[in-house]
Amino acid sequence: MGSKVSSFRKKDLWKRVFGTAFGSPALGSVVPPSTEGEVAEMAEALAGGQSGENSVRLGGYQQELKRTLGPFQVFAISFAFISVAVGIFATYDDVLQNAGPVGIWLWVIAAAGQTLVALIVAQFAARIPLSGSSYQWASRLANPKIGWGFGWLTFCYLAIAVVAVDNALASQAFIPLIGIAPDEGTARLITLVVLLIQVVLAVGSTRIVSVINASAVGLELVLVVVVAIALFIAVAITGDGAVGNLTSRGVAENAPDYFAVGGGLMFAMLMGLATLVGFDAAANLAEEAKDPYRNVPRAIVGSVVAAGLLGLLFLVALTVAIDDIPRVSASDSPVAMIMHDQLGPVMERTLLVAITFAFFGAGLVVMTACSRIVFAMSRDSRFPAHRLMRRVDPRTHTPVPATILIFVIGVILMVALPGAALLKLITAATILPAIIYGLTIVLYLGVRRRLERKKGAFDLGRFELPVAIGALVWSVVALFMLVVPAGALVPVLIVVGLLLAGGLFFLGLLLFNRQALETEPGDVSVFKH
């Protein structure tokens, strides 16, 4: 009897300690179940051509976030996350050093594979346009427990990605721009300042975020095209550069493991895999998009296609413009060096200004997307401190505590982790999206026959099965290429650690708030046949 009393007391203590994290679902943002007539009416609205204003109510929530994002702003969110100029600027040196200039052609394979993945992600986004993207899709079409796993993986990836983008802004763009000596401490201080500015903007208004982001994307689109054309013209006039660079192995010519699994050539694939991700960011902000059934899927697919084509143009132009392959390959910033050699210091500084702005826009989008996944999980009582994290400011219509959480995590990572550990953590973040996308495709193959088909919404029709199978094969290949290199062992262990940490909270939910993992707000059937 004494042991039972002790057990009950311990359980009560755990409930007190984790009361905020594991408490019963908050009803403030959840719409009570509708009557049969209301459900039928809403289902009819969903099947019609309405703009998506009812999508949040169909999901069982109140419309707390403000719909301010038009078609271009939604596209810009996904494109900014991908950020072609930023991705190439940060990884082109790795391609030259490990695979040589010829390694750029693996970008085409990565772009084709990621486009297949984007098409499947768009299929989901066209049917369940709710904040939280894959978390919502898995929760409603599989079960809340599986959905929680999707949500936790996405949160970990985005929280790390914010730090990765902003730290790269500081070290690879801003420090060279202002002309000071590279220094890790200075870069971290700049990163913290950038994080602070971004959280203020993200909390202030989604419209502000979209305006800054759209401006950054517009500048990046113009920059990539103009620079590519300028480089082709410069090479044609001066003769400094060669088309033959496109087939050269450069400094990797005599590498013994060049074609081996995990070798130099395979390593070059990481540029495309690390850059062409995050296109589902638009789905994370679906509750703030106008006509989400059409605009969000188009933004997802359009951003990948546009990034793939523009990235290839930029890579070809840069590679043809190399006049000294060994010298450029030895540089930590080969893109800036090529610009300086071919177009002069003024254009080089112009590039750095634009790259800095693009980095800032990308980091701002990642922070915003991460706050939405925290908000989405919290209003379902499935995230630590959910009562706090689900709060939306009535004036700004933004989830303020969730956004501040991302900032706090960024500060902790920048202050607590030494350089080597931070680098390994950032590398681990490249593995997470491959896992998330692969699981999303498996989910789609399992539930595709039960998905509701909305008239006028994005739909692959008879091509959905072959596209899904192709996307799944590609996801397996991509994940293999990310984990095979010898240097991937520590990042893989970090991913396992993040999963275990999430597993502890998941276990707490099962013990003290099982209802949160067994019920779903709204009428799930309206999203199915």
Side-chain angles (χ1 to χ4, degrees), residues 8 116 237 252 259 318 328 330 369 453 486:
F8 284 132
L116 292 176
I237 293 174
F259 293 103
L318 287 171
V328 172
R453 306 284 170 168

Side-chain angles (χ1 to χ4, degrees), residues 62 71 79-80 124 131 234 258 282 327 329 437 458 489 521:
Q62 294 176 357
F79 189 86
F124 276 130
S131 293
Y258 186 79
R327 183 175 67 88
S329 298
Y437 292 146
F458 181 88
L489 176 59

Side-chain angles (χ1 to χ4, degrees), residues 38-232:
E38 289 173 323
V39 169
E41 181 182 347
M42 287 190 289
E44 184 178 353
L46 181 67
Q50 294 193 10
S51 64
E53 292 298 322
N54 287 329
S55 60
V56 179
R57 189 181 175 198
L58 286 167
Y61 309 112
Q62 294 176 357
Q63 180 74 54
E64 296 182 90
L65 306 176
K66 194 172 182 179
R67 290 195 184 275
T68 59
L69 305 177
F72 181 75
Q73 285 97 352
V74 176
F75 165 82
I77 285 168
S78 285
F79 189 86
F81 198 125
I82 296 172
S83 194
V84 171
V86 168
I88 292 175
F89 190 86
T91 59
Y92 190 55
D93 58 332
D94 291 326
V95 174
L96 294 179
Q97 292 163 13
N98 291 281
V102 71
I104 67 166
W105 295 111
L106 292 179
W107 175 274
V108 177
I109 299 175
Q114 295 299 84
T115 300
L116 292 176
V117 176
L119 287 168
I120 299 305
V121 172
Q123 288 282 96
F124 276 130
R127 289 160 175 78
I128 307 179
L130 297 172
S131 293
S133 57
S134 59
Y135 157 72
Q136 292 282 7
W137 308 334
S139 294
R140 293 168 185 278
L141 298 174
N143 65 64
K145 297 182 182 67
I146 293 176
W148 182 92
F150 275 76
W152 181 255
L153 285 172
T154 304
F155 162 71
C156 291
Y157 164 55
L158 294 176
I160 298 170
V162 174
V163 177
V165 172
D166 287 349
N167 190 241
L169 181 159
S171 60
Q172 299 181 30
F174 190 74
I175 286 180
L177 175 63
I178 61 178
I180 64 175
D183 178 75
E184 183 179 343
T186 302
R188 290 188 179 226
L189 180 59
I190 295 171
T191 302
L192 293 176
V193 173
V194 172
L195 282 168
L196 180 59
I197 295 172
Q198 288 171 337
V199 74
V200 171
L201 293 172
V203 164
S205 169
T206 302
R207 181 178 291 277
I208 293 175
V209 172
S210 67
V211 169
I212 293 174
N213 186 51
S215 301
V217 167
L219 178 61
E220 184 175 352
L221 290 170
V222 172
L223 173 75
V224 169
V225 174
V226 170
V227 168
I229 294 173
L231 287 174
F232 284 130

Side-chain angles (χ1 to χ4, degrees), residues 118-477:
L119 287 168
I120 299 305
V121 172
Q123 288 282 96
F124 276 130
R127 289 160 175 78
I128 307 179
L130 297 172
S131 293
S133 57
S134 59
Y135 157 72
Q136 292 282 7
W137 308 334
S139 294
R140 293 168 185 278
L141 298 174
N143 65 64
K145 297 182 182 67
I146 293 176
W148 182 92
F150 275 76
W152 181 255
L153 285 172
T154 304
F155 162 71
C156 291
Y157 164 55
L158 294 176
I160 298 170
V162 174
V163 177
V165 172
D166 287 349
N167 190 241
L169 181 159
S171 60
Q172 299 181 30
F174 190 74
I175 286 180
L177 175 63
I178 61 178
I180 64 175
D183 178 75
E184 183 179 343
T186 302
R188 290 188 179 226
L189 180 59
I190 295 171
T191 302
L192 293 176
V193 173
V194 172
L195 282 168
L196 180 59
I197 295 172
Q198 288 171 337
V199 74
V200 171
L201 293 172
V203 164
S205 169
T206 302
R207 181 178 291 277
I208 293 175
V209 172
S210 67
V211 169
I212 293 174
N213 186 51
S215 301
V217 167
L219 178 61
E220 184 175 352
L221 290 170
V222 172
L223 173 75
V224 169
V225 174
V226 170
V227 168
I229 294 173
L231 287 174
F232 284 130
I233 293 174
V235 171
I237 293 174
T238 65
D240 295 332
V243 175
N245 291 343
L246 297 173
T247 57
S248 171
R249 287 169 59 176
V251 296
E253 181 67 40
N254 298 314
D257 58 347
Y258 186 79
F259 293 103
V261 174
L265 186 61
M266 179 182 289
F267 194 87
M269 182 70 81
L270 298 184
M271 177 169 64
L273 292 177
T275 302
L276 298 172
V277 295
F279 42 80
D280 52 324
N284 253 332
L285 275 75
E287 290 180 28
E288 294 153 88
K290 300 174 182 177
D291 195 3
Y293 295 106
R294 294 180 177 85
N295 291 336
V296 172
R298 290 172 182 174
I300 291 170
V301 178
S303 62
V304 179
V305 173
L309 294 175
L310 287 173
L312 180 61
L313 173 67
F314 194 35
L315 284 169
V316 170
L318 287 171
T319 304
V320 169
I322 299 175
D323 63 346
D324 186 339
I325 292 177
R327 183 175 67 88
V328 172
S329 298
S331 172
D332 290 332
S333 185
V335 176
M337 179 175 286
I338 293 169
M339 293 283 292
H340 184 277
D341 292 344
Q342 294 289 358
L343 304 175
V346 174
M347 184 58 77
E348 178 193 8
R349 295 188 70 81
T350 302
L351 170 70
L352 288 173
V353 170
I355 289 291
T356 300
F357 192 29
F359 265 118
F360 184 83
L364 185 59
V365 164
V366 178
M367 176 178 285
T368 304
C370 191
S371 69
R372 295 328 186 250
I373 192 74
V374 172
F375 164 74
M377 295 180 72
S378 295
R379 66 181 173 183
D380 293 337
S381 304
R382 297 171 191 162
F383 194 84
H386 66 267
R387 297 183 191 278
L388 175 64
M389 294 301 156
R390 60 169 291 275
R391 293 180 184 173
V392 173
D393 188 280
R395 295 172 300 167
T396 64
H397 298 281
T398 57
V400 176
T403 308
I404 293 175
L405 172 67
I406 312 307
F407 168 72
V408 171
I409 292 173
V411 171
I412 292 173
L413 293 179
M414 290 307 304
V415 172
L417 290 183
L422 181 63
L423 180 61
K424 293 296 184 182
L425 182 65
I426 290 173
T427 304
T430 63
I431 299 173
L432 288 170
I435 297 174
I436 295 167
Y437 292 146
L439 292 175
T440 300
I441 296 164
V442 171
L443 173 67
Y444 183 78
L445 286 170
V447 304
R448 67 185 185 88
R449 294 184 182 279
R450 296 188 285 116
L451 285 175
E452 183 272 338
R453 306 284 170 168
K454 185 178 186 299
K455 183 179 180 181
F458 181 88
D459 194 348
L460 289 174
R462 62 185 179 182
F463 297 105
E464 66 170 344
L465 183 58
V467 169
I469 293 174
L472 180 60
V473 171
W474 165 250
S475 294
V476 172
V477 171

